[in-house]
């Protein structure tokens, strides 16, 4: 029988494991950031608290770890739309502490989601805002997490000439292509839950090295579904497949898409929806692939964790459902 590793405090609103799975960050409704570590990294027996502090007024709604190449650092999104980056540091013989490096958001637009990706040249950060704008930042110095430069700003539309200044976005979901660097161009997928249908459908953006700009190369929605609000996206790791696999959640269910690797004559990548899965009662809020990109875990409003896999014939099905304990 499985045993719990840790019981989080009442009021915990979000949590996130680091890339190695040996550190856990948790955020609370009162603005407290907590960091937990395994007592012995070689053992999974227990976790201990190594940092706990109220870093800001307000509810922390999401925590994202930065890639390990940039040290131990997390990004925290607060309910009022402020994004702050926190980094662990050592000072003389004192215990390890965390300090804020940079803050984003405020004024008229709120930060809805943030994700990090590693390109061949630098660390990139994609931030989705409540006004429908997407901003891509680049870290100028890998040792200075406060030194970010705005690389690009655009809205999530296929027609790059169109803009929607009065858009109101309630949530957004971003997922980077898990491949790291190499010869392949940086790419990510983003979808919105907004009052502007053109922004909603999930679109894959790729950095065009020749023209030094981000271009939409695919839209993961059938023609009749392009205005559907998106609740979550997740790009699967690719281990030798001749296509990419991406999951997209809308009110119609959980869609599994195949994204081709070779552009067509118009420069767009071919897409195919291979499955539309149902099982959750209500919205799907979060999705995570395993390291092989073969199993998808989802959870949502019904509080149930569901595991999805495809069989040898490529048909997707629910492998398991984990109900919350009373």
């Amino acid at each position: 029988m499985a045993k719990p590793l840790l019981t989080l405090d009442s009021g915990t609103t979000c949590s996130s494991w680091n890339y190695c799975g040996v550190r856990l960050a948790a955020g609370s409704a009162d603005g407290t950031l907590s960091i937990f570590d395994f007592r012995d990294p070689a053992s999974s027996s227990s976790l201990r608290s190594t940092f706990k502090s109220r870093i800001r007024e307000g509810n922390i709604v999401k925590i994202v770890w930065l890639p390990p190449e940039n040290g131990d650092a997390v990004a925290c999104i607060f309910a009022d739309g402020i994004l702050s980056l926190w980094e662990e540091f050592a000072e003389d013989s004192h215990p390890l502490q965390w300090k804020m490096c940079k803050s984003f958001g405020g004024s008229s637009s709120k930060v809805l989601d943030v994700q990090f990706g590693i390109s061949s040249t630098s660390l990139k950060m994609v931030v989705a805002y409540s006004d429908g704008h997407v901003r891509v930042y680049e870290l100028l110095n890998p040792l200075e997490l406060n030194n970010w430069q705005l690389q690009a700003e655009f809205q999530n539309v296929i027609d790059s000439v169109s803009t929607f200044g009065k858009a109101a976005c309630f949530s957004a979901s971003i997922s980077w292509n898990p491949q790291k660097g190499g010869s392949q161009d940086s790419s990510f997928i983003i979808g919105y839950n907004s009052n502007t249908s053109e922004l909603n459908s999930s679109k894959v953006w790729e950095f065009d090295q020749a023209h030094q700009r981000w271009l939409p190369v695919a839209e993961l929605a059938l023609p009749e579904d392009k205005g559907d609000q998106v609740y979550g996206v997740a790009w699967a790791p690719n281990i030798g497949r001749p296509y990419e696999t991406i999951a997209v959640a809308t009110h119609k269910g959980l869609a599994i898409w195949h994204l081709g690797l070779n552009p067509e004559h118009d420069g767009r990548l071919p897409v195919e929806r291979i499955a539309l899965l149902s099982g959750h009662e209500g919205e799907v809020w979060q999705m995570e692939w395993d390291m092989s990109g073969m199993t998808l875990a989802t959870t949502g409003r019904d509080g149930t964790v569901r595991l999805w896999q495809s069989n040898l014939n490529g048909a997707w099905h629910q492998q398991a459902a984990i109900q919350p304990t009373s």
Side-chain angles (χ1 to χ4, degrees), residues 48-62:
R48 62 185 177 91
S49 174
T50 56
F51 176 80
K52 184 176 183 180
S53 179
R54 191 176 186 183
I55 59 174
R56 188 176 176 274
E57 294 286 341
N59 181 8
I60 302 176
V61 296
K62 185 166 187 174

Side-chain angles (χ1 to χ4, degrees), residues 115 117 124-127 134-136 151 154 156 173-177 185-191 203-207 214-215 217-218 233 235 246 259:
Q115 290 295 335
K124 300 288 196 304
M125 176 174 66
V126 178
V127 184
V134 182
R135 295 188 179 99
V136 182
Q151 183 196 48
F154 47 85
N156 190 40
S173 182
I174 307 167
S175 183
W176 273 90
N177 183 342
D185 291 332
S186 299
S187 54
F188 64 89
I189 182 171
I190 180 172
K203 302 173 185 70
V204 176
W205 292 82
E206 185 175 280
F207 189 68
W214 290 89
L215 296 175
V217 294
V233 296
W235 196 314
I246 301 175
L259 175 70

